Amino acid sequence: MLRKKVLGLGVLGVWWITMPLAAAAQQPGKVYRIGVLSLTAFDGTTLAKVMAEGLDRRGYVVGRNIVIEDRFADGRVDRLPALAAELVSLKVDVIVAGAAVAIRAAHNATNTIPIVMAFSGEDPVKSGFVASLGRPGGNVTGVTAVARDLAPKTLELLRDAVPGIARVAVLTNPARPEHAEYLRFVRAVRPQGMQLQVLEAAGPDQYEAAFAAMTQQRAEGVVIFGDVMFTRDSPQLAELARRHALPSAYLHRAFVVAGGLMTYGPDLRQLLDLATDYVDKILKGAKPSALPVQQPTAFKLVINARTAQAIGLAIPHALLVRADEVIR
C-alpha cells in the first residue's frame, strides 16, 4: 500500500519523525496535535506527508512541537466517519481533511474543532460546509476547487489535442448529484459542433461496460468528470481508455501518470500550501470563521506523449509547448 511505503507505519498509528528544530513556532513547550483525514493517496504521496513538510517549512517539527494523527481510509468512503470520530476523541487542535467526502465526515463529527479543507471538488457552500466563501461562519475553512468550472476547459483542450473531434464521451458518477449540474453547464458552453455522449459508472464494476458503449457509439475521445472514486481508480480508467484507443482527459495528474492522455486542473501542491498556511494561522489563534475560503490560482496541463503514441495520436506541437509537463 502506497501510504505504508511513504510513512512506514500502520494506518492508525501516530506518525513521529525526529528532525532538527527549524524555528520556534507557537508557545515554548507546546505540542500541537494535527488530525489528518484522507481517503486516498495522490500524486505519489499522502496528505499527511505533504502537511508535515509544509508545516516544517513554517517552523513546526513533527515529534518536537507537533504530532500528526494520520487517519487514512485507503479508498474506503465507509471508513471515514469512524476515523473522523477517532480524531475528535483525541481532541486534536485542528483537522485537515482532503476531498469532499472526508470534509463531510469531519464536519459531521464536530462543530467545534477547526477543520481545514485541503481541497474539495464540491461547492463548500452548497455542501453546507460554510455559510459563504468570504465569511465561512463556522468551524470549517480552507481551499476549494469546484470541478464544474474546469470541465469546459478540458473539452477545449481535448479538441486541441484531436483537431476536428466531434463526438466526445463524458463519464459521470450517478451517485454524485452535482455531476448532473456539471453536465448542464458543460452542454451550455461546449465547443460549437461537439456532441456529448453521456455514460455512467457508479463503481469499478461498471467501467468496462461504459467504455464498451463509448466504442459502440463511435466516441472519438472521453472526458471524465472529477470524482474521488475516479481519481482512486485512475490506473483502471487510463488502461481502459488506452485499450479502446480513446484520447482521454481528466482533472488530476495521477490519471496521466497512470497512462491517461492528458489532465488539466489545479496545482494540488499550491492548494495544499494554502491549506497549510491556514493550519498555521489557526494554531496561532485565528478562527476558521474569519478565514475566507480560498480558490486555486495555478492550473497545470500535463500530457502523456507515450500514451498519444500508443493510441496513434499525433499531439499538435502548439499544444505540447503549452503543457506544463510532458511525460515521454
Side-chain angles (χ1 to χ4, degrees):
M1 184 169 60
L2 175 59
R3 182 178 164 276
K4 289 184 177 179
K5 293 179 182 178
V6 175
L7 299 183
L9 294 177
V11 167
L12 300 182
V14 177
W15 182 27
W16 292 87
I17 299 178
T18 303
M19 303 177 184
L21 183 59
Q26 295 301 302
Q27 306 165 17
K30 171 71 174 178
V31 178
Y32 295 91
R33 194 173 292 271
I34 314 296
V36 177
L37 183 65
S38 58
L39 178 67
T40 62
F42 72 97
D43 206 13
T45 187
T46 62
L47 180 57
K49 179 174 175 59
V50 174
M51 292 305 301
E53 292 169 348
L55 288 168
D56 179 64
R57 292 193 297 272
R58 290 163 175 83
Y60 300 88
V61 180
V62 177
R64 190 73 64 86
N65 55 1
I66 60 169
V67 172
I68 292 183
E69 295 283 358
D70 185 15
R71 296 297 182 269
F72 179 71
D74 199 20
R76 290 179 52 188
V77 176
D78 61 301
R79 294 191 60 203
L80 289 169
L83 295 178
E86 285 185 27
L87 293 176
V88 172
S89 70
L90 290 171
K91 296 181 171 58
V92 295
D93 294 288
V94 60
I95 296 174
V96 181
V101 287
I103 297 165
R104 183 170 291 106
H107 188 234
N108 290 340
T110 179
N111 59 8
T112 55
I113 296 174
I115 298 170
V116 174
M117 301 182 293
F119 45 85
S120 172
E122 292 183 15
D123 184 325
V125 178
K126 290 184 178 180
S127 297
F129 302 148
V130 299
S132 70
L133 297 184
R135 297 176 180 272
N139 66 320
V140 180
T141 188
V143 187
T144 185
V146 180
R148 184 204 73 168
D149 301 330
L150 298 173
K153 181 65 174 179
T154 305
L155 283 172
E156 292 175 9
L157 289 167
L158 190 59
R159 181 192 57 187
D160 292 342
V162 190
I165 189 172
R167 294 184 299 277
V168 176
V170 177
L171 185 64
T172 69
N173 180 354
R176 290 281 301 274
E178 61 270 26
H179 277 193
E181 176 192 349
Y182 296 176
L183 192 58
R184 286 192 296 271
F185 182 70
V186 168
R187 278 175 168 154
V189 299
R190 69 183 184 273
Q192 186 174 5
M194 182 178 287
Q195 301 173 24
L196 302 183
Q197 303 167 346
V198 181
L199 287 306
E200 295 183 343
D205 59 327
Q206 298 179 17
Y207 294 157
E208 292 270 3
F211 274 85
M214 294 175 199
T215 299
Q216 291 168 2
Q217 296 174 25
R218 296 187 299 164
E220 299 167 297
V222 55
V223 168
I224 302 171
F225 275 179
D227 182 74
V228 67
M229 178 182 73
F230 293 158
T231 300
R232 180 197 66 195
D233 297 335
S234 286
Q236 185 178 353
L237 292 169
E239 172 57 29
L240 282 166
R242 283 198 309 270
R243 191 191 310 165
H244 289 269
L246 281 171
S248 55
Y250 190 53
L251 295 175
H252 300 308
R253 184 178 178 274
F255 178 74
V256 79
V257 170
L261 177 66
M262 62 193 301
T263 57
Y264 178 77
D267 181 346
L268 288 181
R269 294 288 177 161
Q270 184 208 29
L271 297 187
L272 293 175
D273 199 57
L274 293 172
T276 308
D277 267 339
Y278 270 13
V279 173
D280 180 33
K281 291 179 186 297
I282 289 169
L283 294 182
K284 290 176 178 174
K287 302 296 183 185
S289 59
L291 296 173
V293 174
Q294 300 192 67
Q295 294 177 288
T297 58
F299 299 85
K300 287 190 172 183
L301 170 62
V302 185
I303 297 173
N304 191 320
R306 293 199 303 266
T307 296
Q309 183 177 18
I311 64 176
L313 176 66
I315 300 288
H317 179 72
L319 183 59
L320 287 173
V321 297
R322 288 165 53 194
D324 298 281
E325 179 184 357
V326 178
I327 298 175
R328 299 184 186 277

